[in-house]
Amino acid sequence: GEAVPGGAGGAGGVPVPGGALADAAVGGASTPDAAPRPDASGPPVGDDCAPCGGNDDCGGLGESGQCSMLLGGSFCTRGCAGGAACPGGYRCLFDRCVPAGARCDSCATRPCEAGQRCNLDNGFCEALAVRCQGCGADADCADAMTCHALGFVRVCLPGCGGGEACPEGFQCTEGACAPVSGFCDACGGCAAATPFCNLATRACQQCGFGAPCPDGQVCEMDGTCAAPEPGVQCRADLDCRMAGTPFCVASTCVSCRDGNDCRAGQACDAGACVAQACAGVACQTGSACDPQTNTCAPGCAVDADCGADGLLCNAATGQCYQDDQRCDPAGMASVCAPGAACAADPLDANRRVCTCAFTDPSNFQEPNDQHRIPCQPGGTCVQIGNNPGVCIRGR
């Protein structure tokens, strides 16, 4: 049989396939595509999730039937290679239709009680979603709320337009009370006086990431704004509002923590970025950094200069790079934009990826050519907070 590993990825310790990422981002719960099985005692012999001792026990699923290892034992699964559909509550994982939570006692095989929904990430029944919680359909929402698209996710929102008033921080948009900010949070929406939602406590606070305190105040550990003691500029990066000094080190706002925080041709010295020719500039084999321009020479001028391996040329820097923004160790064929580092890919230990950094970490729409440390052309920087981000293909 085929084993489904229990490594990191989806909720409940089950790897989440590519198609499941969107569900995970909105809370993971959704109404199954098909009606739940009416027989709560379990599936019939040879059907999806029936216990098995070998592939011959799974003939009821046709030629693709296979006895697979899931959490709790060996069970029949059907194949889904080539885009074949899976039953409601199942997901295609490693070309097999696997039930929610990779467990055959999950809500994919046994219907939830009235007033509950099936969480397709962990396979457990849970309460219906309330305002601003993720959903897949109207049936996932409690209190007569309905499921609406909001940005890249779907959430439950109360109705309006029939005389109903929306709560503070929400406005009536297309028949639903949508958050004025344009996005939902785990608190169900925070008012202007306490704009930050603490995900751990689901409580609204005066300050937090993206919601700094007024000038002259710092954000305390409990999420309140207060005047600091003399000599203290900051408690955390959040309190450093000037673009030129975005990092909090020893209660002082500084320009850098190390060389990765500085632009190309600069090094970090006692919290300040100072000029150092060619610092942070990598060049491909056969080329070297010109200390006058911090670019590669002779470098490349057109893609053909980078060989026949599909590499592209950044003519402005003389560097050869890969379209997917991955990179080789220093001195090889594909390099990162000046100032960036070629770091371990957080999703693939066998590959490396270029780092990047926004000039303003709170502005996720900042153009690549305005980044403090940009990606190569065609790349997009994915950055959270002040730590360096990673470049991915942007188109």
Side-chain angles (χ1 to χ4, degrees), residues 130-133 145 156-158 167-170 177-179 183-191 197 199 202-204:
V130 296
R131 187 181 71 194
C132 271
Q133 288 186 337
M145 295 186 186
C156 294
L157 296 174
E168 183 182 2
F170 289 74
C177 290
F183 64 92
C184 268
D185 54 52
C187 302
C190 291
C197 177
L199 297 180
R202 292 180 178 250
C204 296

Side-chain angles (χ1 to χ4, degrees), residues 59-158:
L61 295 176
E63 294 183 359
S64 71
Q66 178 177 296
C67 189
S68 302
M69 289 294 296
L70 300 177
L71 298 180
S74 299
F75 301 90
C76 291
T77 62
R78 71 177 69 196
C80 52
C86 292
Y90 288 66
R91 285 174 172 161
C92 189
L93 181 64
F94 305 129
D95 293 334
R96 311 303 304 168
C97 288
V98 177
R103 305 183 347 266
C104 280
D105 61 348
S106 76
C107 49
T109 61
R110 292 168 173 79
C112 297
E113 296 179 1
Q116 293 185 323
R117 61 178 180 168
C118 180
N119 187 313
L120 298 184
D121 285 329
N122 57 34
F124 292 106
C125 293
E126 61 185 25
L128 293 175
V130 296
R131 187 181 71 194
C132 271
Q133 288 186 337
C135 57
D138 290 348
D140 290 335
C141 302
D143 303 326
M145 295 186 186
T146 51
C147 189
H148 294 267
L150 192 65
F152 298 107
V153 299
R154 294 181 64 81
V155 296
C156 294
L157 296 174

Side-chain angles (χ1 to χ4, degrees), residues 217-269:
Q217 296 185 330
V218 296
C219 189
E220 301 288 354
M221 292 293 292
D222 61 359
T224 59
C225 295
E229 55 267 32
V232 174
Q233 290 185 348
C234 56
R235 299 257 190 246
D237 292 348
L238 170 70
D239 300 322
C240 298
R241 304 170 189 84
M242 298 295 291
T245 54
F247 308 107
C248 184
V249 176
S251 301
T252 302
C253 293
V254 299
S255 297
C256 59
R257 299 159 297 187
D258 56 43
N260 290 328
D261 294 328
C262 297
R263 301 177 186 273
Q266 295 181 334
C268 186
D269 182 12

Side-chain angles (χ1 to χ4, degrees), residues 263-342:
R263 301 177 186 273
Q266 295 181 334
C268 186
D269 182 12
C273 291
V274 297
Q276 180 177 314
C278 289
V281 180
C283 297
Q284 62 270 16
T285 301
S287 182
C289 178
D290 181 345
Q292 300 299 316
T293 62
N294 291 309
T295 60
C296 296
C300 64
V302 294
D303 293 346
D305 294 337
C306 294
D309 295 328
L311 296 179
L312 304 177
C313 174
N314 183 345
T317 65
Q319 295 173 306
C320 296
Y321 69 96
Q322 294 182 37
D323 181 52
D324 63 4
Q325 304 296 306
R326 297 186 183 275
C327 53
D328 298 321
M332 294 183 68
S334 175
V335 295
C336 300
C342 187

